[in-house]
Amino acid sequence: TQPQFTPAAKVEIGKIRQRQAESEMSQANNHFNEAANYYQDGIDNGGLQGPEAAKLMYELARIFEERLQDYARASLMYSKVVQNHPTFLSIDKAVYGLATSLEKIGQMDDAAKWYQELVVKYPYSIYFQVAQKRMKNLAPGTESAKGALEAQQGVIENAKTEAQAGKAMLDL
């Protein structure tokens, strides 16, 4: 009813909403951490079997990476998916997650290798272009440099159009 107080009241309401959001985010992070610990304990003790195993391990890796920013644990879980479930429907996503997690913990040689793996084995992937770019940026100066060049040459050879081949040659 008193317009002169409206702006100050809105600022105070904004502060209250911000504190509520921060509290809820903290609770959500605690829930993700607890879920990840239960998942991990169940997986480590043989509680995960059958066709759902790869999917649930992939989901755990995503929780570690995206929600908890625990890239070391994410890379370990993505690695288990890639190594133990090579026919997993979303294997390209697991390879990409492994590469990005390794990159975030500073393991550039390994990250470049996995980006290269994605480029070579999964050209259909929605992550192909970004993996190709990351591979090209990370590979120079690493043990993966030669393999990255070979992978890029493979992209040229497998190009469907002259425009694709031309772009791949420029990238090389």
Side-chain angles (χ1 to χ4, degrees):
T1 61
Q2 298 177 357
Q4 70 271 22
F5 297 118
T6 300
K10 287 185 177 183
V11 167
E12 288 305 312
I13 292 171
K15 289 178 183 178
I16 292 167
R17 290 292 189 205
Q18 179 183 0
R19 284 192 298 273
Q20 287 174 328
E22 288 170 351
S23 173
E24 290 170 8
M25 286 179 70
S26 177
Q27 284 181 318
N29 283 337
N30 288 337
H31 291 308
F32 277 118
N33 193 40
E34 188 176 353
N37 288 333
Y38 278 117
Y39 266 142
Q40 187 73 64
D41 191 43
I43 290 168
D44 291 346
N45 291 300
L48 186 59
Q49 299 170 3
E52 290 292 306
K55 182 180 179 190
L56 292 175
M57 290 170 67
Y58 173 75
E59 288 302 318
L60 176 57
R62 286 187 57 228
I63 290 171
F64 285 140
E65 180 186 15
E66 297 171 11
R67 301 298 182 175
L68 301 175
Q69 281 103 39
D70 187 340
Y71 303 113
R73 288 174 76 187
S75 67
L76 290 173
M77 192 54 55
Y78 281 129
S79 182
K80 286 182 182 182
V81 172
V82 170
Q83 291 174 358
N84 299 333
H85 303 280
T87 60
F88 175 51
L89 188 59
S90 297
I91 192 72
D92 64 311
K93 292 178 183 177
V95 170
Y96 182 76
L98 175 56
T100 58
S101 294
L102 289 168
E103 185 177 357
K104 288 180 181 170
I105 59 174
Q107 295 183 10
M108 301 310 179
D109 284 342
D110 292 332
K113 181 187 102 171
W114 286 108
Y115 285 126
Q116 176 185 330
E117 177 93 359
L118 194 144
V119 168
V120 170
K121 288 189 175 179
Y122 310 105
Y124 60 83
S125 175
I126 62 171
Y127 298 106
F128 176 83
Q129 289 182 329
V130 69
Q132 185 181 28
K133 182 178 180 181
R134 296 304 309 142
M135 174 190 73
K136 289 185 297 187
N137 289 342
L138 292 178
T142 70
E143 294 177 15
S144 299
K146 182 180 178 194
L149 287 172
E150 291 170 357
Q152 190 61 27
Q153 288 170 339
V155 171
I156 294 168
E157 292 168 9
N158 295 322
K160 304 247 188 275
T161 66
E162 285 188 34
Q164 286 177 340
K167 182 181 181 322
M169 286 174 69
L170 285 174
D171 289 341
L172 181 63

